[in-house]
Amino acid sequence: MDARVNPLHSLPADARRPARPTQEEAEAAVRTLLAWAGDDPTREGLLETPGRVTRAYGEFFAGYEQDAKTILSKTFKEVGGYDDIVLVKDIPFSSHCEHHMVPFVGKAHIAYLPHDGVVGLSKLARLVEVFARRLQTQENLTAQIIDAINEHLGPRGAAVMLEAEHMCMSMRGVHAHGAATVTHRFTGVFAEDRVEQDRFFAMIGKR
């Protein structure tokens, strides 16, 4: 075997993931960070902070326990022959940057051209949550959302655009308050036809 090849890379993601620490270990890690920051983990105001932080992390990163296939599994075929763009725009989301573990917050716009039925509209918002509630980059989040739509809905085309403010830029570093990061990706008809791209941008108010 080539020494440069890590054999773990050939394993499923779950198999590569290290064993999950216990609740007690997680809370101890929070106490360590509190002390490292310069505070006293034993003072009254911080005594229950480790438990609160771990419960909050359970919400922030709930996406690791959720599955896109399950969310998109039920479709509706009786749509009166409708075959034009289905768009849900301004879906709010919050995620955490995998580089600094601070939030980025924004809106997602998702469109697809149905091939064999449509999915419930709320499921697109839930799909965003599945991937947003993990440690992320915005670029990867954009790709994961559209890849899941293509894999599980098989549309004639899909379009995803994310707009977000990253706290790693506004709270630290360059302190660029209010700067927006925009990512988008097109597949199928949307990737091949500039007219369809223009329709998407017009429908979300970007043209």
Side-chain angles (χ1 to χ4, degrees):
M1 178 182 293
D2 189 334
R4 295 170 297 176
V5 177
N6 186 341
L8 292 179
H9 290 170
S10 64
L11 298 175
D14 287 344
R16 297 199 304 265
R17 196 172 297 161
R20 191 168 194 166
T22 65
Q23 180 75 19
E24 292 75 19
E25 290 171 330
E27 292 185 13
V30 175
R31 292 188 192 93
T32 298
L33 284 174
L34 290 171
W36 180 87
D39 215 318
D40 177 8
T42 65
R43 70 176 175 85
E44 182 182 25
L46 294 180
L47 282 177
E48 296 183 30
T49 295
R52 294 189 185 104
V53 169
T54 53
R55 288 193 296 274
Y57 268 43
E59 294 182 38
F60 295 157
F61 304 118
Y64 288 114
E65 307 300 325
Q66 298 172 345
D67 176 49
K69 180 179 180 180
T70 301
I71 288 172
L72 299 178
S73 62
K74 183 176 181 180
T75 58
F76 303 93
K77 302 184 186 301
E78 295 183 5
V79 292
Y82 184 85
D83 61 358
D84 208 340
I85 293 176
V86 176
L87 168 70
V88 180
K89 66 178 183 177
D90 296 328
I91 302 169
F93 73 87
S94 59
S95 189
H96 282 74
C97 163
E98 66 181 30
H99 301 139
H100 302 97
M101 293 184 70
V102 294
F104 61 97
V105 179
K107 298 180 295 185
H109 315 288
I110 300 177
Y112 68 97
L113 286 160
H115 171 65
D116 186 27
V118 300
V119 70
L121 299 178
S122 67
K123 298 301 190 290
L124 295 179
R126 289 188 61 195
L127 177 66
V128 173
E129 287 286 285
V130 167
F131 295 116
R133 291 188 178 273
R134 304 179 184 187
L135 291 169
Q136 280 289 10
T137 65
Q138 185 171 329
E139 298 88 345
N140 192 51
L141 178 57
T142 305
Q144 287 177 333
I145 292 169
I146 200 167
D147 286 347
I149 291 171
N150 284 325
E151 179 179 357
H152 302 301
L153 296 184
R156 290 177 287 126
V160 172
M161 178 175 173
L162 303 186
E163 306 171 86
E165 180 176 359
H166 291 248
M167 298 302 109
C168 59
M169 286 180 59
S170 61
M171 294 176 61
R172 58 166 298 282
V174 296
H175 294 278
H177 298 283
T181 298
V182 179
T183 52
H184 61 71
R185 186 174 167 195
F186 303 114
T187 60
V189 174
F190 284 103
E192 299 161 1
D193 190 340
R194 182 60 182 267
V195 172
E196 293 299 332
Q197 293 179 25
D198 288 342
R199 289 181 66 205
F200 170 73
F201 286 125
M203 290 174 74
I204 64 174
K206 301 301 178 185
R207 285 284 169 88

mmCIF file of all heavy atoms in Angstrom, residues 80-119:
data_model
loop_
_atom_site.group_PDB
_atom_site.id
_atom_site.type_symbol
_atom_site.label_atom_id
_atom_site.label_comp_id
_atom_site.label_asym_id
_atom_site.label_seq_id
_atom_site.Cartn_x
_atom_site.Cartn_y
_atom_site.Cartn_z
ATOM 1 N N GLY A 80 -51.249 17.833 -11.021
ATOM 2 C CA GLY A 80 -51.956 18.449 -12.135
ATOM 3 C C GLY A 80 -51.102 18.722 -13.346
ATOM 4 O O GLY A 80 -51.349 19.656 -14.109
ATOM 5 N N GLY A 81 -50.064 17.920 -13.524
ATOM 6 C CA GLY A 81 -49.181 18.108 -14.665
ATOM 7 C C GLY A 81 -48.169 19.218 -14.496
ATOM 8 O O GLY A 81 -47.465 19.566 -15.451
ATOM 9 N N TYR A 82 -48.051 19.787 -13.296
ATOM 10 C CA TYR A 82 -47.122 20.897 -13.072
ATOM 11 C C TYR A 82 -45.686 20.416 -13.261
ATOM 12 O O TYR A 82 -45.270 19.409 -12.689
ATOM 13 C CB TYR A 82 -47.278 21.464 -11.659
ATOM 14 C CG TYR A 82 -46.416 22.683 -11.415
ATOM 15 C CD1 TYR A 82 -46.849 23.950 -11.784
ATOM 16 C CD2 TYR A 82 -45.152 22.567 -10.841
ATOM 17 C CE1 TYR A 82 -46.058 25.067 -11.586
ATOM 18 C CE2 TYR A 82 -44.354 23.675 -10.642
ATOM 19 C CZ TYR A 82 -44.813 24.925 -11.011
ATOM 20 O OH TYR A 82 -44.027 26.029 -10.820
ATOM 21 N N ASP A 83 -44.917 21.143 -14.096
ATOM 22 C CA ASP A 83 -43.541 20.734 -14.359
ATOM 23 C C ASP A 83 -42.587 21.922 -14.419
ATOM 24 O O ASP A 83 -41.481 21.814 -14.931
ATOM 25 C CB ASP A 83 -43.448 19.928 -15.658
ATOM 26 C CG ASP A 83 -43.892 20.724 -16.884
ATOM 27 O OD1 ASP A 83 -44.318 21.900 -16.713
ATOM 28 O OD2 ASP A 83 -43.803 20.191 -18.004
ATOM 29 N N ASP A 84 -43.017 23.066 -13.888
ATOM 30 C CA ASP A 84 -42.171 24.256 -13.904
ATOM 31 C C ASP A 84 -41.402 24.373 -12.586
ATOM 32 O O ASP A 84 -41.459 23.477 -11.736
ATOM 33 C CB ASP A 84 -43.024 25.507 -14.159
ATOM 34 C CG ASP A 84 -42.246 26.630 -14.843
ATOM 35 O OD1 ASP A 84 -41.001 26.607 -14.771
ATOM 36 O OD2 ASP A 84 -42.874 27.533 -15.427
ATOM 37 N N ILE A 85 -40.717 25.486 -12.411
ATOM 38 C CA ILE A 85 -39.863 25.672 -11.242
ATOM 39 C C ILE A 85 -40.663 25.599 -9.942
ATOM 40 O O ILE A 85 -41.709 26.212 -9.801
ATOM 41 C CB ILE A 85 -39.133 27.028 -11.326
ATOM 42 C CG1 ILE A 85 -38.121 27.029 -12.476
ATOM 43 C CG2 ILE A 85 -38.405 27.332 -10.007
ATOM 44 C CD1 ILE A 85 -37.431 28.367 -12.673
ATOM 45 N N VAL A 86 -40.143 24.849 -9.001
ATOM 46 C CA VAL A 86 -40.608 24.890 -7.609
ATOM 47 C C VAL A 86 -39.514 25.603 -6.817
ATOM 48 O O VAL A 86 -38.359 25.168 -6.831
ATOM 49 C CB VAL A 86 -40.844 23.481 -7.042
ATOM 50 C CG1 VAL A 86 -41.237 23.568 -5.561
ATOM 51 C CG2 VAL A 86 -41.905 22.747 -7.843
ATOM 52 N N LEU A 87 -39.866 26.696 -6.176
ATOM 53 C CA LEU A 87 -38.879 27.508 -5.480
ATOM 54 C C LEU A 87 -39.331 27.800 -4.055
ATOM 55 O O LEU A 87 -40.476 28.203 -3.831
ATOM 56 C CB LEU A 87 -38.665 28.834 -6.222
ATOM 57 C CG LEU A 87 -37.882 29.932 -5.481
ATOM 58 C CD1 LEU A 87 -36.416 29.546 -5.358
ATOM 59 C CD2 LEU A 87 -38.031 31.268 -6.201
ATOM 60 N N VAL A 88 -38.431 27.589 -3.102
ATOM 61 C CA VAL A 88 -38.629 28.065 -1.735
ATOM 62 C C VAL A 88 -37.456 28.997 -1.443
ATOM 63 O O VAL A 88 -36.293 28.573 -1.494
ATOM 64 C CB VAL A 88 -38.673 26.922 -0.709
ATOM 65 C CG1 VAL A 88 -38.872 27.485 0.704
ATOM 66 C CG2 VAL A 88 -39.789 25.943 -1.040
ATOM 67 N N LYS A 89 -37.759 30.259 -1.185
ATOM 68 C CA LYS A 89 -36.683 31.221 -0.966
ATOM 69 C C LYS A 89 -36.712 31.760 0.458
ATOM 70 O O LYS A 89 -37.679 31.579 1.198
ATOM 71 C CB LYS A 89 -36.785 32.368 -1.968
ATOM 72 C CG LYS A 89 -38.011 33.258 -1.829
ATOM 73 C CD LYS A 89 -37.959 34.392 -2.853
ATOM 74 C CE LYS A 89 -39.130 35.342 -2.677
ATOM 75 N NZ LYS A 89 -39.045 36.489 -3.622
ATOM 76 N N ASP A 90 -35.622 32.401 0.825
ATOM 77 C CA ASP A 90 -35.484 33.036 2.139
ATOM 78 C C ASP A 90 -35.662 32.043 3.292
ATOM 79 O O ASP A 90 -36.296 32.354 4.304
ATOM 80 C CB ASP A 90 -36.477 34.192 2.286
ATOM 81 C CG ASP A 90 -36.213 35.323 1.299
ATOM 82 O OD1 ASP A 90 -35.035 35.539 0.958
ATOM 83 O OD2 ASP A 90 -37.185 35.988 0.870
ATOM 84 N N ILE A 91 -35.111 30.841 3.132
ATOM 85 C CA ILE A 91 -35.132 29.862 4.222
ATOM 86 C C ILE A 91 -34.047 30.250 5.225
ATOM 87 O O ILE A 91 -32.850 30.227 4.895
ATOM 88 C CB ILE A 91 -34.856 28.441 3.695
ATOM 89 C CG1 ILE A 91 -35.880 28.040 2.640
ATOM 90 C CG2 ILE A 91 -34.829 27.441 4.843
ATOM 91 C CD1 ILE A 91 -35.517 26.755 1.898
ATOM 92 N N PRO A 92 -34.410 30.629 6.447
ATOM 93 C CA PRO A 92 -33.372 31.037 7.399
ATOM 94 C C PRO A 92 -32.587 29.828 7.895
ATOM 95 O O PRO A 92 -33.136 28.744 8.078
ATOM 96 C CB PRO A 92 -34.184 31.682 8.534
ATOM 97 C CG PRO A 92 -35.516 31.008 8.469
ATOM 98 C CD PRO A 92 -35.768 30.704 7.017
ATOM 99 N N PHE A 93 -31.299 30.021 8.094
ATOM 100 C CA PHE A 93 -30.493 28.944 8.661
ATOM 101 C C PHE A 93 -29.365 29.535 9.503
ATOM 102 O O PHE A 93 -28.972 30.697 9.339
ATOM 103 C CB PHE A 93 -29.903 28.039 7.570
ATOM 104 C CG PHE A 93 -28.776 28.655 6.779
ATOM 105 C CD1 PHE A 93 -27.461 28.561 7.214
ATOM 106 C CD2 PHE A 93 -29.035 29.344 5.597
ATOM 107 C CE1 PHE A 93 -26.419 29.134 6.492
ATOM 108 C CE2 PHE A 93 -28.004 29.927 4.869
ATOM 109 C CZ PHE A 93 -26.692 29.811 5.312
ATOM 110 N N SER A 94 -28.871 28.730 10.422
ATOM 111 C CA SER A 94 -27.656 29.073 11.159
ATOM 112 C C SER A 94 -26.794 27.831 11.216
ATOM 113 O O SER A 94 -27.298 26.718 11.374
ATOM 114 C CB SER A 94 -27.987 29.572 12.568
ATOM 115 O OG SER A 94 -28.695 28.592 13.302
ATOM 116 N N SER A 95 -25.506 28.030 11.041
ATOM 117 C CA SER A 95 -24.573 26.918 11.076
ATOM 118 C C SER A 95 -23.345 27.364 11.848
ATOM 119 O O SER A 95 -23.300 28.480 12.392
ATOM 120 C CB SER A 95 -24.208 26.480 9.654
ATOM 121 O OG SER A 95 -23.470 25.274 9.661
ATOM 122 N N HIS A 96 -22.335 26.497 11.926
ATOM 123 C CA HIS A 96 -21.107 26.818 12.630
ATOM 124 C C HIS A 96 -19.907 26.537 11.727
ATOM 125 O O HIS A 96 -19.787 25.442 11.168
ATOM 126 C CB HIS A 96 -20.982 26.012 13.929
ATOM 127 C CG HIS A 96 -21.804 26.545 15.043
ATOM 128 N ND1 HIS A 96 -23.169 26.401 15.087
ATOM 129 C CD2 HIS A 96 -21.455 27.252 16.157
ATOM 130 C CE1 HIS A 96 -23.641 26.981 16.186
ATOM 131 N NE2 HIS A 96 -22.628 27.499 16.838
ATOM 132 N N CYS A 97 -19.054 27.533 11.618
ATOM 133 C CA CYS A 97 -17.831 27.409 10.830
ATOM 134 C C CYS A 97 -16.938 26.320 11.408
ATOM 135 O O CYS A 97 -16.653 26.314 12.612
ATOM 136 C CB CYS A 97 -17.124 28.767 10.831
ATOM 137 S SG CYS A 97 -15.402 28.716 10.329
ATOM 138 N N GLU A 98 -16.485 25.417 10.575
ATOM 139 C CA GLU A 98 -15.653 24.321 11.067
ATOM 140 C C GLU A 98 -14.230 24.766 11.395
ATOM 141 O O GLU A 98 -13.479 24.024 12.028
ATOM 142 C CB GLU A 98 -15.613 23.182 10.053
ATOM 143 C CG GLU A 98 -14.924 23.509 8.745
ATOM 144 C CD GLU A 98 -14.948 22.344 7.763
ATOM 145 O OE1 GLU A 98 -15.907 21.542 7.799
ATOM 146 O OE2 GLU A 98 -14.001 22.241 6.971
ATOM 147 N N HIS A 99 -13.862 25.983 10.991
ATOM 148 C CA HIS A 99 -12.516 26.466 11.271
ATOM 149 C C HIS A 99 -12.398 27.142 12.638
ATOM 150 O O HIS A 99 -11.348 27.031 13.297
ATOM 151 C CB HIS A 99 -12.074 27.449 10.180
ATOM 152 C CG HIS A 99 -12.069 26.851 8.817
ATOM 153 N ND1 HIS A 99 -12.520 27.517 7.687
ATOM 154 C CD2 HIS A 99 -11.709 25.609 8.386
ATOM 155 C CE1 HIS A 99 -12.411 26.735 6.634
ATOM 156 N NE2 HIS A 99 -11.927 25.572 7.032
ATOM 157 N N HIS A 100 -13.450 27.869 13.038
ATOM 158 C CA HIS A 100 -13.396 28.594 14.314
ATOM 159 C C HIS A 100 -14.525 28.208 15.270
ATOM 160 O O HIS A 100 -14.571 28.678 16.397
ATOM 161 C CB HIS A 100 -13.458 30.108 14.066
ATOM 162 C CG HIS A 100 -12.357 30.618 13.193
ATOM 163 N ND1 HIS A 100 -12.522 30.821 11.834
ATOM 164 C CD2 HIS A 100 -11.070 30.934 13.475
ATOM 165 C CE1 HIS A 100 -11.385 31.256 11.316
ATOM 166 N NE2 HIS A 100 -10.485 31.342 12.282
ATOM 167 N N MET A 101 -15.459 27.389 14.798
ATOM 168 C CA MET A 101 -16.606 26.942 15.602
ATOM 169 C C MET A 101 -17.441 28.121 16.107
ATOM 170 O O MET A 101 -17.939 28.112 17.230
ATOM 171 C CB MET A 101 -16.155 26.047 16.761
ATOM 172 C CG MET A 101 -15.586 24.724 16.300
ATOM 173 S SD MET A 101 -15.148 23.606 17.645
ATOM 174 C CE MET A 101 -16.791 23.186 18.257
ATOM 175 N N VAL A 102 -17.558 29.155 15.269
ATOM 176 C CA VAL A 102 -18.464 30.264 15.557
ATOM 177 C C VAL A 102 -19.541 30.282 14.475
ATOM 178 O O VAL A 102 -19.355 29.719 13.391
ATOM 179 C CB VAL A 102 -17.720 31.611 15.640
ATOM 180 C CG1 VAL A 102 -16.780 31.636 16.830
ATOM 181 C CG2 VAL A 102 -16.964 31.898 14.359
ATOM 182 N N PRO A 103 -20.683 30.927 14.724
ATOM 183 C CA PRO A 103 -21.809 30.817 13.804
ATOM 184 C C PRO A 103 -21.616 31.568 12.486
ATOM 185 O O PRO A 103 -20.874 32.542 12.397
ATOM 186 C CB PRO A 103 -22.972 31.443 14.596
ATOM 187 C CG PRO A 103 -22.538 31.437 16.020
ATOM 188 C CD PRO A 103 -21.056 31.601 15.981
ATOM 189 N N PHE A 104 -22.309 31.088 11.472
ATOM 190 C CA PHE A 104 -22.638 31.926 10.318
ATOM 191 C C PHE A 104 -24.129 31.764 10.079
ATOM 192 O O PHE A 104 -24.698 30.682 10.247
ATOM 193 C CB PHE A 104 -21.777 31.623 9.078
ATOM 194 C CG PHE A 104 -21.841 30.243 8.495
ATOM 195 C CD1 PHE A 104 -22.661 29.961 7.409
ATOM 196 C CD2 PHE A 104 -21.032 29.220 8.989
ATOM 197 C CE1 PHE A 104 -22.687 28.702 6.830
ATOM 198 C CE2 PHE A 104 -21.050 27.956 8.424
ATOM 199 C CZ PHE A 104 -21.885 27.694 7.347
ATOM 200 N N VAL A 105 -24.763 32.871 9.750
ATOM 201 C CA VAL A 105 -26.228 32.950 9.727
ATOM 202 C C VAL A 105 -26.671 33.560 8.408
ATOM 203 O O VAL A 105 -26.077 34.543 7.934
ATOM 204 C CB VAL A 105 -26.737 33.813 10.899
ATOM 205 C CG1 VAL A 105 -28.261 33.911 10.875
ATOM 206 C CG2 VAL A 105 -26.258 33.257 12.232
ATOM 207 N N GLY A 106 -27.722 33.002 7.815
ATOM 208 C CA GLY A 106 -28.172 33.561 6.550
ATOM 209 C C GLY A 106 -29.461 32.972 6.046
ATOM 210 O O GLY A 106 -30.291 32.474 6.818
ATOM 211 N N LYS A 107 -29.611 33.021 4.716
ATOM 212 C CA LYS A 107 -30.814 32.550 4.036
ATOM 213 C C LYS A 107 -30.418 31.628 2.888
ATOM 214 O O LYS A 107 -29.393 31.837 2.240
ATOM 215 C CB LYS A 107 -31.609 33.726 3.477
ATOM 216 C CG LYS A 107 -32.111 34.707 4.510
ATOM 217 C CD LYS A 107 -32.899 35.836 3.862
ATOM 218 C CE LYS A 107 -32.021 36.682 2.957
ATOM 219 N NZ LYS A 107 -32.744 37.851 2.404
ATOM 220 N N ALA A 108 -31.266 30.636 2.656
ATOM 221 C CA ALA A 108 -31.073 29.713 1.541
ATOM 222 C C ALA A 108 -32.229 29.857 0.560
ATOM 223 O O ALA A 108 -33.383 30.069 0.961
ATOM 224 C CB ALA A 108 -30.994 28.274 2.040
ATOM 225 N N HIS A 109 -31.912 29.763 -0.725
ATOM 226 C CA HIS A 109 -32.919 29.760 -1.792
ATOM 227 C C HIS A 109 -32.737 28.458 -2.571
ATOM 228 O O HIS A 109 -31.635 28.168 -3.055
ATOM 229 C CB HIS A 109 -32.744 30.956 -2.726
ATOM 230 C CG HIS A 109 -32.502 32.255 -2.021
ATOM 231 N ND1 HIS A 109 -33.493 32.914 -1.329
ATOM 232 C CD2 HIS A 109 -31.376 33.005 -1.886
ATOM 233 C CE1 HIS A 109 -32.994 34.031 -0.806
ATOM 234 N NE2 HIS A 109 -31.717 34.106 -1.137
ATOM 235 N N ILE A 110 -33.807 27.680 -2.691
ATOM 236 C CA ILE A 110 -33.733 26.371 -3.345
ATOM 237 C C ILE A 110 -34.802 26.268 -4.419
ATOM 238 O O ILE A 110 -35.980 26.572 -4.169
ATOM 239 C CB ILE A 110 -33.941 25.232 -2.326
ATOM 240 C CG1 ILE A 110 -32.869 25.271 -1.241
ATOM 241 C CG2 ILE A 110 -33.928 23.878 -3.031
ATOM 242 C CD1 ILE A 110 -33.061 24.223 -0.164
ATOM 243 N N ALA A 111 -34.394 25.837 -5.609
ATOM 244 C CA ALA A 111 -35.342 25.627 -6.701
ATOM 245 C C ALA A 111 -35.011 24.315 -7.409
ATOM 246 O O ALA A 111 -33.859 23.896 -7.454
ATOM 247 C CB ALA A 111 -35.279 26.782 -7.702
ATOM 248 N N TYR A 112 -36.059 23.686 -7.936
ATOM 249 C CA TYR A 112 -35.819 22.504 -8.766
ATOM 250 C C TYR A 112 -36.934 22.384 -9.796
ATOM 251 O O TYR A 112 -38.034 22.930 -9.628
ATOM 252 C CB TYR A 112 -35.711 21.234 -7.924
ATOM 253 C CG TYR A 112 -36.984 20.777 -7.242
ATOM 254 C CD1 TYR A 112 -37.789 19.781 -7.811
ATOM 255 C CD2 TYR A 112 -37.385 21.330 -6.033
ATOM 256 C CE1 TYR A 112 -38.943 19.357 -7.187
ATOM 257 C CE2 TYR A 112 -38.541 20.915 -5.399
ATOM 258 C CZ TYR A 112 -39.317 19.925 -5.983
ATOM 259 O OH TYR A 112 -40.489 19.510 -5.360
ATOM 260 N N LEU A 113 -36.639 21.689 -10.882
ATOM 261 C CA LEU A 113 -37.598 21.399 -11.937
ATOM 262 C C LEU A 113 -38.007 19.942 -11.779
ATOM 263 O O LEU A 113 -37.192 19.033 -11.989
ATOM 264 C CB LEU A 113 -36.976 21.642 -13.313
ATOM 265 C CG LEU A 113 -36.804 23.113 -13.692
ATOM 266 C CD1 LEU A 113 -35.761 23.273 -14.794
ATOM 267 C CD2 LEU A 113 -38.144 23.707 -14.142
ATOM 268 N N PRO A 114 -39.262 19.672 -11.381
ATOM 269 C CA PRO A 114 -39.689 18.297 -11.081
ATOM 270 C C PRO A 114 -39.557 17.371 -12.286
ATOM 271 O O PRO A 114 -39.731 17.781 -13.430
ATOM 272 C CB PRO A 114 -41.163 18.465 -10.693
ATOM 273 C CG PRO A 114 -41.320 19.912 -10.347
ATOM 274 C CD PRO A 114 -40.353 20.650 -11.213
ATOM 275 N N HIS A 115 -39.263 16.129 -11.981
ATOM 276 C CA HIS A 115 -39.223 15.088 -13.007
ATOM 277 C C HIS A 115 -40.335 14.066 -12.805
ATOM 278 O O HIS A 115 -41.058 13.739 -13.750
ATOM 279 C CB HIS A 115 -37.868 14.378 -12.991
ATOM 280 C CG HIS A 115 -37.822 13.165 -13.868
ATOM 281 N ND1 HIS A 115 -37.942 13.242 -15.235
ATOM 282 C CD2 HIS A 115 -37.680 11.835 -13.570
ATOM 283 C CE1 HIS A 115 -37.877 12.016 -15.745
ATOM 284 N NE2 HIS A 115 -37.723 11.149 -14.761
ATOM 285 N N ASP A 116 -40.481 13.582 -11.588
ATOM 286 C CA ASP A 116 -41.485 12.554 -11.313
ATOM 287 C C ASP A 116 -42.112 12.822 -9.951
ATOM 288 O O ASP A 116 -42.018 12.007 -9.038
ATOM 289 C CB ASP A 116 -40.836 11.165 -11.355
ATOM 290 C CG ASP A 116 -41.861 10.043 -11.226
ATOM 291 O OD1 ASP A 116 -43.028 10.275 -11.622
ATOM 292 O OD2 ASP A 116 -41.501 8.960 -10.734
ATOM 293 N N GLY A 117 -42.758 13.987 -9.821
ATOM 294 C CA GLY A 117 -43.391 14.344 -8.567
ATOM 295 C C GLY A 117 -42.626 15.427 -7.820
ATOM 296 O O GLY A 117 -41.504 15.794 -8.187
ATOM 297 N N VAL A 118 -43.246 15.929 -6.769
ATOM 298 C CA VAL A 118 -42.656 16.997 -5.960
ATOM 299 C C VAL A 118 -42.592 16.546 -4.505
ATOM 300 O O VAL A 118 -43.286 15.622 -4.085
ATOM 301 C CB VAL A 118 -43.466 18.308 -6.074
ATOM 302 C CG1 VAL A 118 -43.519 18.801 -7.515
ATOM 303 C CG2 VAL A 118 -44.875 18.128 -5.519
ATOM 304 N N VAL A 119 -41.764 17.242 -3.736
ATOM 305 C CA VAL A 119 -41.638 16.956 -2.324
ATOM 306 C C VAL A 119 -42.349 18.058 -1.541
ATOM 307 O O VAL A 119 -42.495 19.182 -2.035
ATOM 308 C CB VAL A 119 -40.137 16.874 -1.923
ATOM 309 C CG1 VAL A 119 -39.478 18.246 -1.967
ATOM 310 C CG2 VAL A 119 -39.972 16.230 -0.566
#
